[in-house]
Every structure is written in C-alpha cells, then in structure tokens.
Amino acid sequence: MMLNGVWALEDAQGDYRVEMILPGDGISAFFAAGEIPDPYFGLNEHDLRWIADRDWRATRKFTLTATDCDLVLTGLDTIVDVLINGTKVLSAQNVFRTYRVDLSEVAHVGENTIELYFHSNTMEAAKRYAEHPYPVPYLHMNCPIPHGNMIRKAQCDFGWDWNIALAPFGVIGDIELCPQSQTRITGVIVDQAHDGQNVTVTVRAPFENCETRDIPFEIALCGQSITGVVAAQNGVLEAAITLVSPALWWPVGMGEQALHDLDVTLGDSTQTRRIGLRDMAFMAQKDAVGVGFKFRVNGVDTYAKGANWIPADALSGRITQAGVRDLLQSAVDANMNMIRVWGGGRYEPDWFYDFCDEMGLMVWQDFMFACNLYPADAAFLAEVDCEVRETVTRLNHHASLALWCGDNELVGALTWYEESKENRDLYLVAYDRLNTQIERAMRAVVPEANWWASSPSAGPMNFGDAWHDDTAGDMHFWSVWHEGKDFEHYRDIKPRFCSEFGFQSYASMDVIRSFTTENDRNIAAPTLESHQKNHGGNARIAETMFRYFRFPTGFEDFIYLSQIQHGLALKTAVSYWRSLKPHCMGALIWQLNDTWPVASWASLNYGGSWKLPHYMIGEFFQPVFVTIVPESEILVLKAVNDLREPVDITVKIAATKPDGSSRILVEVDAEVSPDVAKSLAEIAASELAVDEILTYNWTGSDGTKANDHFMLRPYKFYDLVTADLKLEVVPNEEGYEILVTSSSLALYVALEASIAGRFSQNVMTITPKTPAKIQFIPKTSGEVPIFTVKDLHNATYG
C-alpha cells in the first residue's frame, strides 16, 4: 500500500495548515497553497527562511486489514520522528537512507494515523555543532545557513555559490506498507568478468524472511538460466552465468547501449535489474609524468567529455522524471559521454541511472560530502556506513556507473579554515576516519569497485594541492574564474583529467524575465545581485568583457555576450586539453544544470533550455575535432578522434578579413587514429595581416562537417563590420529550416526563437562563402515562432 499523495501539513505551533503532496517538500506545498509567493522570484528567498527554522508535522490516515506489515520510508528529509497512532516508531537521521519499521505491535486493523514530525533542520544542525567536542567548520561563503555539515542532508540545501538557501524539509522518496511474511531479496550485487568475447556474470542476492530450510532459486539473463536451492541460513544467494559473445554496452558515440534483463527469483520473490555487459576499467597508474587518470571501456581507452550534475531543482517537489530526462538528453546532444554526480547534492533515484544506462552516459558518482569538514564520531560514522552500503547495493548494477569517489574537495578544505590550519593533525585524522569508513563500507558490498578517494586528488594517500598539480590524478582548475586569470591560462596547464573547471554567464532573457520586473533588468539591480550567489561574480563577468570585447550596447546584449565569453572560456580549455590526448583523458565542465534561475556556470538554463555555451560545447566536444594550438609564434593545427576507428579528414584554412574576403593558407588531408591527437600543419603567426583572422573548416569520413575561427588578439582590437545577416525561413515536417547568410564575416551568430524549442546548430561563424542551414524544432507543435539573430558586431558596435 503506497502512502504517497495528499497529507495534512502544519507547524508545531499550529499557526499554519496546508495540504502537502508526498513525495515533495514543505516550501513547494506552501507555494501551491498560495500561502507564500514564488521563492524564486525577485528577493523572495530572504523572506522565506523562517520556514526552515520551525518544526512541522505531516499526517494522514490509512486502513489495514492485517497488522503484520512493515512501513518503508525513503528519503526522509532529514531529522524526522515517525509516529503510528501516537507511538514513535522511528527517529530518522539521514535523508540518504531507507528505513523499514515493523508495525505489528503498534498498528491495528481498521483506520490508523501516521505522523511525520520534521524537526527543524537548521536548529538541529546548530544544536549538533554546539554539542560537538571541537569545532567542525563549514564553508561560510557558500552557505548562508550554517552548520549543514553536521547532518546527513544535501549540503547545497543550505545555500551554495549557485543555489538558493532555503534548507527545505519533506520526503524525497516513497512511503509504503509491505507485508512481512514474504521472502524478501534485499539487494542484487552484480559482478562481471570479461575474458575475450565471453562474460561471466556473478550475482549475489542477500535475502531475509525465509520461513523454510531450503529455498529454490532461478537466475535468468540473456536467454540463459540457472536453478538450484539455497540454504535459508546462508542469507545470501550466489550464482554465476557465463555468456558467449553477448552484446556489449558502450558509452554514447562508441557503440550501442545494449541492455539485458537480469531476473533473480527466490521462492515467490523476484527482483529484476536492467544491466549492461561492459568491462569498465579505471586506470590510475604511474607513468613517466606522474599518475594517469582514464577510463578503459571494453578494452578501449575512452576520453571522458561531460559535465558536473547538481540536483535538478533546489526544491525536490519540483523535480520531474521528464525534466531530468530532458537535461540528460541535452548532455548527450552536446556530445557528452559522462556525468559527475557531485558530492554536495544527493544520490539520484533509480530512474536517473536507468536514463544514463539507456543514453550511454558514464556516471562518476561522488559520495555526498563536499567542501566542508565533517564529524568523525561513532554515531556520525555509523550513519555513513549505513548510507554507503545501501547506496552501493542499490546502484552497483548500472552499466553507466564508472567510478565511486569519496568526496568533493575535502582534502583541500583542510587548508581553508583557521581551525584546521592551526590543528591539522586533528582534522586530518577525522577526515581519514571518514574517508576510510566510506571506502570500507563500499568495498563490503562491491570489493572490486572502481574507487577514487577524493576529487581532486593526486593519488592514494596524497593530501597535497591537486588544484594546481597537473602531473597526476584528477584536477579542479579554478584559476581563470576565481583568480581572474585570462582564458589563455588554460593553456599553461596539462591536466591528466580535469573534473571541474568553468566560467559564469547569466541566464537567457526568457528565464531572466521569469524572476524579474522590467526595472530589475540591470546587472547592478538588487534582484540580479541576489540571483548571483558567487561573491564578485557579476563584476568578474563584466571585467572579463573589458579584457576581450568592446562593451555591449544594452542589457540584452550584455546577457548575450556573457554567454559567448562563457562558451569561449570553456572552448579555450577543452580544445587545448583534447589536443594533449592521451596525456589528458577527460574534461568535465562545471556545471551542466541549474537548481533555480541564477547567474552561474551552468550551460543549461533553469528549466532545461540551452544557453549559448551549450551549443558551443556541442561543437568542441564533437568526436572528431580540429583546433588551433598557439605555440609561441607558431599556430599548430591539431586533430583529435574519439571514435574507435581511424577517420580521414580534410581541412581548409583561410586568412579572412572582417569584410569577408579571404585567401587560402593551407589544405590538408590526413588519417587520424583514436590513440593520440595529431598535428596536421603549422602556420606562422606572421602570415596573418593585422586585420586577418584564421577561419577553417573540416569534413571527416565519419560524417563530421564543422567550421571555426581563431584570433591572434582579443576581439576588441578588430574593426568588425556590419554583417547584414538575412534569414530565410521555410516550414517543414519537423519544424522550420532556416538559411542564414551574411554579407561579411559574422562571428558568434546566434539565433533566438520567440517560442521554446531547439536549434540544430547555433553560435556560428558565417562568411559570404559559408552560409549556415539550421533546423528549428519547436517544443510544442503548432506554435509559430518569430526568429531574431544577433552577432558580435551588432551586440558591441550598436
């Protein structure tokens, strides 16, 4: 019996009473009832934090015909007492756990009452901090609500440098009643051994409530099955199936995402897992430079191209499966093959990983610890142990799961606080206890799991500065944004794998209109400043524009240019790091998505529409890619191929003036292997006149067709001319085909539609000889769009 649905919600004082839909959160319930304004609009956030400071109770009735049942609750957020008919049966302490409670002694046949008493997360966190024997610091500049690190709740709920601070409460998962008498399989742990073309799949399935001495079982996979009997006292079923030449699962872009149903039956109980057969090897081995970092899938070294994932919404009640699927599909459509589920959010539900399996998105999974220091007392570590074992048991079978990582930036956090700098031994020991507990619990479930202790990290037992060490492990590189260095600084480092880097831009205009009035549409307006959570972020965006561009002529031009320079920063980094293959084998952008409408590092708007940098990502993450790498006074043309087979490419490079006139400099044909980036040609910078830029295009035997440009100097030094852009729009079965032509060189040509939808291409370099043909597909059929176009000239020259 599911107990999801409508509950009655009231505060402990009895001042407020509304309906609440569970799963869901209390703030969304208040908004739906009309009791509060939209927390995402204007400055409303600051007037709504009182909700988190109160205790709340949610109640409902349910009817039983028998009392031999268990209550199963998932995602209680966070310090929650559960009462049945007035008797407390559970005190939950951890949003990341599932709880199972025997109701046979407290429930009765007929009508029963269940109450969830939510203790204030903010008050409980402060209380635990005060009671702890030594201070446990948290990151003040990210979290305006303090001490969230003291409880096992999504850390970004207390605020982050991209998130609203509301510390919501509620239920993230399901609430249900289950019979006690059934034999119950409590988990399915899957191990794969690949030997040539054969795969041996070993299944371990712990179980309980077995009332017989021996119990029959069957395991079925790919048309094969094995049967037998397992002794009840064992408590674990273990068996193996060997498959001959089965269809394998590959990351997107490298092959098919073959998935198979694995059915495990024990007595009358059956559990089904959808698995992919793949050999996912994590390679962190010493070499001549330091310690490498890469993923080898089915024997093929795979360049990881992707982004960091944060919760799909700041309020869990607003998250939908359709919305999450759309965000993940946008990652795939931008040629990404990996998502890092970041450690300051939450472990995602089963269906999230199902989507990743189906789409071919590898998952780097952090455990949920980020940027703060944490307690290491027995009670806290016991909660962590339960949390990790349950999470690994739940998720281990997914084909997409590539890596378990202990935390986000906890090693670096040891150097951020006065307390830990003054008494490093104390806090280092506490960190090691926590990290060791996480690894021990993970390996208790899956002994051979791919494991990385912390991100960033230079390697096992290395507690050094991984932010600036580009010889080993994974790297978080933030000198360009947080230190204000120029984009060219991305070429000063050679990471083995960069798992975080990024630059900010504003949300697109349609999103800005959703949370502002017309008077707020100024970057210095309080609303725009409140929807920028990184200290100095607005100033840094503007300061960077001065460095590279002539200043935009109006507010909407400023928004456009913020997104262009966001994409340019990412392109500068990724195009260079990809040219280092195989020294560098991964680049994960910070970040893919937003939790609410805000200026941030996300390439997707809140709600899922594409910001301009996401279109740019789709270009420089193409499997076959050509780029220019400046080396002193020489411009080196490099090509990279991330497919499994060699590709033949043809590249043409021209020197182009602002009026669109050009002259061919180089034409080259080459075969590019997947193993290493290849130098195709060199051009002396002196070959370009002061007003010329490089424009180049390439075609590949894989079907790739693309063009790009490279400038020796910042854009502001070039006297661009009016492009006289023209659009020819023709409706077709899918939407609209648009031909974009230009009378001169037009840079960063960006189309916008008056309705929601997706362009097949955007942010283009167009010359009189290279028009662009684009498809626009409306989100809702039948709507007629109006198209507008913007380029660098009309945004900065007027």
Side-chain angles (χ1 to χ4, degrees):
M1 181 192 300
M2 298 299 295
L3 298 184
N4 297 345
V6 179
W7 292 55
L9 176 68
E10 63 178 352
D11 66 323
Q13 293 89 337
D15 295 334
Y16 300 93
R17 184 177 176 87
V18 298
E19 286 188 347
M20 181 179 189
I21 304 296
L22 295 181
D25 67 273
I27 294 171
S28 294
F30 261 70
F31 175 63
E35 293 290 332
I36 59 171
D38 183 352
Y40 295 174
F41 189 87
L43 301 173
N44 291 340
E45 166 195 1
H46 306 281
D47 294 328
L48 298 177
R49 290 182 184 162
W50 62 269
I51 297 174
D53 293 336
R54 293 194 176 204
D55 290 359
W56 299 86
R57 58 167 59 92
T59 58
R60 64 160 290 171
K61 306 286 188 181
F62 64 94
T63 301
L64 293 178
T65 56
T67 61
D68 55 341
C69 60
D70 289 342
L71 176 66
V72 182
L73 310 100
T74 302
L76 294 176
D77 192 5
T78 292
I79 311 300
V80 186
D81 293 335
V82 180
L83 296 88
I84 300 295
N85 300 324
T87 299
K88 183 162 65 175
V89 296
L90 173 68
S91 290
Q93 307 288 316
N94 189 333
V95 70
F96 305 124
R97 289 185 58 188
T98 295
Y99 296 93
R100 193 177 189 99
V101 182
D102 179 357
L103 297 190
S104 58
E105 298 298 321
V106 293
H108 49 251
V109 173
E111 187 175 79
N112 295 263
T113 300
I114 180 173
E115 175 184 324
L116 307 179
Y117 188 95
F118 298 94
H119 295 268
S120 165
N121 290 316
T122 58
M123 298 301 178
E124 183 65 25
K127 175 175 175 287
R128 295 188 181 193
Y129 176 82
E131 293 174 349
H132 201 269
Y134 58 87
V136 184
Y138 70 96
L139 195 58
H140 290 252
M141 64 181 177
N142 276 2
C143 305
I145 300 177
H147 309 309
N149 54 331
M150 301 303 296
I151 62 176
R152 293 308 296 139
K153 176 175 173 60
Q155 299 295 267
C156 64
D157 282 353
F158 297 85
W160 217 260
D161 55 2
W162 38 260
N163 198 32
I164 193 170
L166 293 172
F169 69 93
V171 179
I172 294 171
D174 293 322
I175 305 173
E176 57 184 324
L177 294 167
C178 300
Q180 292 178 337
S181 58
Q182 294 180 349
T183 297
R184 187 167 68 89
I185 299 171
T186 59
V188 176
I189 295 93
V190 179
D191 179 70
Q192 302 181 27
H194 292 247
D195 180 14
Q197 294 186 344
N198 298 337
V199 182
T200 298
V201 178
T202 301
V203 177
R204 286 188 297 115
F207 59 88
E208 57 186 30
N209 286 2
C210 183
E211 297 178 349
T212 61
R213 178 177 301 176
D214 297 317
I215 187 166
F217 73 84
E218 179 180 13
I219 297 176
L221 175 65
C222 294
Q224 295 182 220
S225 66
I226 55 174
T227 60
V229 174
V230 62
Q233 66 266 27
N234 288 357
V236 178
L237 162 64
E238 183 168 344
I241 296 179
T242 297
L243 308 170
V244 178
S245 300
L248 299 182
W249 182 95
W250 290 92
V252 62
M254 297 187 69
E256 297 299 317
Q257 289 74 57
L259 296 170
H260 314 276
D261 284 338
L262 169 66
D263 297 318
V264 182
T265 299
L266 191 65
D268 295 328
S269 178
T270 297
Q271 293 273 334
T272 299
R273 299 290 186 271
R274 195 132 171 93
I275 70 170
L277 302 172
R278 85 290 183 267
D279 183 12
M280 182 72 72
F282 170 54
M283 316 293 289
Q285 298 171 336
K286 289 185 178 181
D287 56 24
V289 178
V291 179
F293 194 111
K294 64 183 176 183
F295 296 90
R296 181 172 290 167
V297 187
N298 301 328
V300 179
D301 289 349
T302 302
Y303 198 101
K305 298 171 297 199
N308 286 261
W309 172 271
I310 60 176
D313 203 291
L315 298 174
S316 65
R318 299 189 178 197
I319 296 174
T320 67
Q321 289 193 36
V324 169
R325 177 185 278 276
D326 184 64
L327 293 173
L328 293 173
Q329 186 62 53
S330 289
V332 171
D333 292 345
N335 292 309
M336 296 183 184
N337 63 10
M338 177 172 276
I339 290 293
R340 176 185 176 221
V341 180
W342 170 76
R346 60 178 69 99
Y347 308 104
E348 294 295 338
D350 295 335
W351 46 261
F352 174 94
Y353 304 91
D354 289 338
F355 292 160
C356 292
D357 292 344
E358 295 163 11
M359 295 179 185
L361 279 169
M362 294 181 289
V363 175
W364 167 321
Q365 178 67 58
D366 279 1
F367 289 101
M368 293 298 119
F369 304 87
C371 295
N372 303 307
L373 302 184
Y374 288 89
D377 56 88
F380 191 88
L381 294 181
E383 279 295 334
V384 170
D385 183 80
C386 293
E387 167 190 325
V388 170
R389 288 172 186 260
E390 177 183 331
T391 301
V392 175
T393 298
R394 177 169 67 91
L395 300 181
N396 77 92
H397 68 279
H398 284 281
S400 55
L401 189 61
L403 183 70
W404 293 101
C405 180
D407 62 70
N408 175 79
E409 298 187 353
L410 263 60
V411 173
L414 292 167
T415 68
W416 298 348
Y417 307 103
E418 290 303 318
E419 296 93 336
S420 56
K421 286 187 284 187
E422 292 175 1
N423 193 351
R424 182 173 173 82
D425 288 353
L426 170 64
Y427 292 94
L428 180 58
V429 169
Y431 168 74
D432 185 60
R433 286 178 177 172
L434 172 63
N435 192 257
T436 299
Q437 183 68 61
I438 294 169
E439 182 181 7
R440 184 182 296 123
M442 178 204 70
R443 295 203 183 281
V445 179
V446 186
E448 302 302 320
N450 292 338
W451 163 256
W452 192 242
S454 180
S455 182
S457 172
M461 299 307 294
N462 189 321
F463 299 98
D465 177 13
W467 273 262
H468 302 97
D469 181 356
D470 60 0
T471 66
D474 77 311
M475 186 179 195
H476 292 186
F477 189 69
W478 283 109
S479 294
V480 170
W481 174 258
H482 287 300
E483 298 173 31
K485 294 187 177 181
D486 58 37
F487 296 168
E488 289 70 25
H489 190 56
Y490 284 122
R491 300 192 190 105
D492 293 339
I493 62 164
K494 297 181 179 181
R496 311 309 303 270
F497 191 111
C498 196
S499 46
E500 275 192 28
F501 65 100
F503 203 84
Q504 274 202 0
S505 63
Y506 290 94
S508 299
M509 279 305 305
D510 58 332
V511 177
I512 290 175
R513 294 185 190 104
S514 74
F515 68 85
T516 62
T517 65
E518 190 171 345
N519 290 338
D520 293 325
R521 291 162 200 164
N522 183 296
I523 62 166
T527 292
L528 264 291
E529 291 184 335
S530 180
H531 286 246
Q532 163 63 272
K533 297 302 186 183
N534 183 248
H535 182 70
N538 287 352
R540 193 166 295 117
I541 292 172
E543 175 189 13
T544 305
M545 284 185 188
F546 278 118
R547 184 180 297 160
Y548 291 102
F549 302 100
R550 303 186 186 193
F551 210 67
T553 56
F555 178 69
E556 293 196 17
D557 296 319
F558 186 92
I559 300 304
Y560 157 85
L561 195 56
S562 82
Q563 294 193 9
I564 294 299
Q565 76 173 9
H566 179 179
L568 180 60
L570 301 178
K571 176 185 174 183
T572 304
V574 171
S575 59
Y576 178 61
W577 297 341
R578 289 187 71 189
S579 80
L580 301 175
K581 183 182 179 181
H583 172 88
C584 176
M585 286 300 291
L588 305 182
I589 293 165
W590 185 270
Q591 68 213 58
L592 178 68
N593 56 307
D594 269 331
T595 58
W596 72 306
V598 65
S600 83
W601 299 267
S603 59
L604 297 175
N605 286 301
Y606 174 69
S609 62
W610 288 27
K611 293 164 73 171
L612 297 180
H614 201 75
Y615 286 101
M616 298 170 74
I617 290 167
E619 295 292 322
F620 61 68
F621 268 168
Q622 292 179 94
V624 177
F625 180 66
V626 176
T627 188
I628 297 288
V629 177
E631 296 181 0
S632 186
E633 295 301 312
I634 300 297
L635 306 177
V636 181
L637 181 72
K638 285 197 168 186
V640 63
N641 170 18
D642 291 336
L643 301 173
R644 289 163 55 192
E645 302 294 336
V647 170
D648 295 322
I649 63 170
T650 298
V651 187
K652 296 181 180 180
I653 307 175
T656 303
K657 291 180 177 289
D659 65 3
S661 61
S662 64
R663 55 191 177 89
I664 297 294
L665 296 179
V666 176
E667 293 188 42
V668 59
D669 295 310
E671 181 184 82
V672 183
S673 76
D675 304 320
V676 60
K678 184 171 186 175
S679 296
L680 303 180
E682 294 184 358
I683 301 168
S686 58
E687 291 189 46
L688 292 174
V690 69
D691 62 342
E692 288 181 323
I693 70 170
L694 284 180
T695 57
Y696 56 103
N697 61 74
W698 68 94
T699 58
S701 56
D702 67 314
T704 295
K705 292 183 179 180
N707 64 23
D708 206 343
H709 71 272
F710 182 86
M711 308 184 86
L712 288 172
R713 300 179 298 157
Y715 291 90
K716 65 183 181 181
F717 289 111
Y718 293 83
D719 290 324
L720 303 180
V721 299
T722 301
D724 192 24
L725 292 164
K726 295 191 183 318
L727 307 182
E728 295 181 17
V729 181
V730 179
N732 57 29
E733 290 184 1
E734 292 185 320
Y736 298 86
E737 184 178 271
I738 308 163
L739 179 67
V740 187
T741 58
S742 175
S743 61
S744 63
L745 173 65
L747 301 175
Y748 299 117
V749 177
L751 293 173
E752 184 175 327
S754 60
I755 62 173
R758 180 88 49 84
F759 293 99
S760 61
Q761 184 183 4
N762 213 342
V763 194
M764 300 158 287
T765 301
I766 298 179
T767 71
K769 297 178 182 178
T770 58
K773 187 176 289 186
I774 300 156
Q775 181 76 19
F776 176 79
I777 302 176
K779 187 174 183 179
T780 303
S781 61
E783 295 185 313
V784 180
I786 298 172
F787 297 105
T788 55
V789 63
K790 193 180 291 289
D791 74 322
L792 187 59
H793 177 273
N794 65 31
T796 57
Y797 288 73

